[in-house]
Amino acid sequence: MTAPSATAAPSHGATSASFLSKLEIDVRMLGMLAALGVIWIGFDILSGGLFLTPRNLWNLSVQTASIAVMSTGMVLVIVTRNIDLSVGAILGVVGMIIGVLQVQWLPAWLGFEHWLTAPIAVVAAVLVGGAIGLFQGWLIAYLAIPSFIVTLGGLLIWRGAAWWVTTGQTVAPMDTRFKALGGGVEGALGATATWIIAAVACGLIVVALGLSRRRRVRFGFPVRPAWGDAVIAAFACGAVLIAAAIANAYPLPVGIARRWAEANGIAWPEGGLSIPHGIALPVLIAIIVGLGMTFLARRLRFGRYVFAIGGNPEAAELSGINTRWTLMKVFGLMGLLCGISACISTARLNAATNAAGSLDELYVIASAVIGGTSLAGGVGTIAGAMLGALVMQSLQSGMVLLGVDTPLQNIVVGAVLVLAVFVDGLYRRRIK
C-alpha cells in the first residue's frame, strides 16, 4: 500500500492572489492606491490634520487636472516606445497665445467680455497644440528623427517662442467665462450639479459592468462571479459618492457667499450661509478626457494599432498597419491634450506667464510611469496614469504644506521616478 499524498493547504498569499484574479483586479493598481493612502495619511499626520481637509483635497484635485490630462496622452506616446519632453513648453506657448488672444486681439474685434471669447480661445488652444504635435510627429515618423531629439529641441524652441509672443511680459486678466476652466469660484459647479454628476457616474459604472459581462457571456469569454461585479460596483460607486461629499463639504468664502446671496435676492441669516463649492470644472474635464482616452485606447482600432506598434513595431508594419501615420497621430493627440491643459492652467492662474508649464514634462512622464506604463513599450493604462498624476501632485502638495523647499521637492520627485522605473523592471522580469 502506498501512503496517501498530502495536499498542502493553500497559503494566505495564494488565497489573496486567487481572490484578486477572480475579480480581475490589477495588483499594481492596488499598490498605487495603497501608496496614495500612505502618502495622504502621512502628510495629514505631519501637517497636524491639514492635508485631509475638504479644502486641501478640493485644491489638490484642481491642481492635478492639468497634469492628468497630459498624462493620458503620454501613455500612448510611451506605449509606442517614444517620449515627449516638450509637453510643458507646448503648454507654455499655447497658454501665451490664448492669453494674447483674449487680452489684445479679440477685444479689438468683439469687445471685452464677449461670450464668444472663451470658445474661440479654447478652439485656438486645441488647434495650435494639435498642429505643434502633428509637426513633431511628422519629424519623428516620416523623417525618422528620434523622438528624444525632436521633443528635446521642441522643449527649447517652444519655450523660446512663448517668450517671443509677448517679449517676456505676463498677460492678464483672462475672460471671465474662460476663468471657469481653471476652477475657483467661477469653476465650482455647486452641490446640486455635483450630486447629479455623481448619480450619473454611479449609473454608468453599473451599466458598464453589466454590458461588459454580457459581451463576455456572448463571446464565451471567462466571466467574473456575480459577487465580484457587485464588489467592484460597490467600491467604485462608494468612491464616487465620497468624492462628491468631500467636494460639497468645502464651502464658499463668506464674502463671496454674501455677494452671491445678495445677487440672488436671498436674505443673509445671522449665522451666515454655507454654500458648497461642489466639483470643480477642470476636474470634470480631466475625468471626461480620461474616459474618452480609455475608450480610444481600448475600444477603437487606433488604440489597438498603438499597442500593436508598442508590442512589436516590425510585426505591426508587416501586418498592414500604417505605423508612421499612426505615430504621427499619437503626437498630434498629445499636442491637442497639451492645448486643453494650457486652457486649464492659464485659467487657473488668470494669467499667461512664461513660467507656465515649467517642469510639467517631468510630472507628466512620472505620472505615466508610476501608473504602470512601461518604458519598454506596449504596456500602459489611462486610469493608472491619472492615478499616478494624483500621486505626484499629492507629494508636491504635501511638501508645500510642510514648507519643504523647491529644490528638495524636485529631489523627491526625481527619486520617486527612478524608483518607479526600477519597480517596473522588477515587475516585468517577474512576469517573464
Side-chain angles (χ1 to χ4, degrees), residues 27-332:
V27 178
R28 299 180 71 179
M29 190 73 72
L30 283 181
M32 280 191 292
L33 288 172
L36 183 63
V38 170
I39 292 170
W40 282 13
I41 294 172
F43 278 128
D44 191 59
I45 294 173
L46 293 174
S47 64
L50 296 177
F51 191 87
L52 292 179
T53 59
R55 176 181 180 179
N56 189 65
L57 292 177
W58 193 89
N59 288 326
L60 175 62
S61 67
V62 174
Q63 293 163 4
T64 305
S66 176
I67 298 297
V69 168
M70 290 191 288
S71 69
T72 63
M74 188 61 73
V75 170
L76 300 188
V77 171
I78 297 178
V79 160
T80 59
R81 305 186 183 187
N82 289 282
I83 200 72
D84 193 339
L85 302 176
S86 65
V87 291
I90 294 175
L91 184 152
V93 70
V94 172
M96 193 60 75
I97 290 172
I98 61 177
V100 172
L101 190 66
Q102 294 178 73
V103 174
Q104 299 178 11
W105 299 343
L106 289 180
W109 304 335
L110 304 175
F112 287 98
E113 297 295 329
H114 195 278
W115 68 272
L116 279 175
T117 299
I120 291 175
V122 173
V123 171
V126 170
L127 292 179
V128 173
I132 292 174
L134 284 174
F135 174 66
Q136 293 188 156
W138 176 76
L139 294 175
I140 295 165
Y142 288 92
L143 299 188
I145 305 174
S147 61
F148 180 87
I149 299 300
V150 170
T151 58
L152 179 60
L155 185 153
L156 301 173
I157 292 169
W158 306 123
R159 184 61 66 189
W163 187 92
W164 279 107
V165 172
T166 62
T167 61
Q169 299 177 9
T170 297
V171 180
M174 300 294 105
D175 179 78
T176 302
R177 295 176 181 85
F178 182 82
K179 283 169 60 180
L181 298 175
V185 177
E186 299 87 356
L189 300 184
T192 302
T194 299
W195 286 121
I196 291 173
I197 292 170
V200 171
C202 290
L204 291 176
I205 289 170
V206 174
V207 170
L209 287 172
L211 291 177
S212 176
R213 185 180 184 85
R214 182 179 177 182
R215 283 195 300 269
R216 286 170 174 246
V217 171
R218 179 181 174 186
F219 293 104
F221 291 159
V223 180
R224 272 191 300 258
W227 61 265
D229 282 336
V231 168
I232 293 174
F235 179 82
C237 292
V240 169
L241 295 176
I242 290 173
I246 292 173
N248 286 332
Y250 177 35
L252 295 176
V254 176
I256 296 174
R258 184 187 290 273
R259 289 195 295 271
W260 180 87
E262 292 174 353
N264 289 273
I266 299 175
W268 186 258
E270 184 177 350
L273 287 174
S274 180
I275 303 174
H277 273 78
I279 190 174
L281 183 57
V283 177
L284 182 61
I285 293 172
I287 293 172
I288 293 173
V289 168
L291 292 174
M293 290 293 290
T294 300
F295 180 79
L296 181 148
R298 299 182 60 181
R299 303 294 300 170
L300 296 185
R301 183 184 300 173
F302 172 74
R304 296 191 180 97
Y305 285 177
V306 168
F307 279 88
I309 293 171
N312 192 325
E314 293 78 13
E317 189 166 3
L318 290 174
S319 66
I321 297 175
N322 190 339
T323 55
R324 291 187 294 181
W325 174 230
T326 302
L327 186 59
M328 182 175 170
K329 287 192 290 184
V330 167
F331 278 90

Side-chain angles (χ1 to χ4, degrees), residues 327-401:
L327 186 59
M328 182 175 170
K329 287 192 290 184
V330 167
F331 278 90
L333 181 60
M334 182 73 255
L336 184 149
L337 293 171
C338 289
I340 296 175
S341 291
C343 292
I344 295 174
S345 179
T346 306
R348 180 167 168 263
L349 293 174
N350 193 27
T353 68
N354 285 284
S358 297
L359 292 181
D360 276 9
E361 55 277 351
L362 169 63
Y363 284 91
V364 172
I365 294 171
S367 299
V369 173
I370 290 173
T373 304
S374 174
L375 291 173
V379 178
T381 63
I382 303 300
M386 298 187 75
L387 184 57
L390 183 57
V391 169
M392 295 301 298
Q393 195 60 51
S394 297
L395 285 172
Q396 186 185 37
S397 177
M399 288 187 289
V400 169
L401 202 60

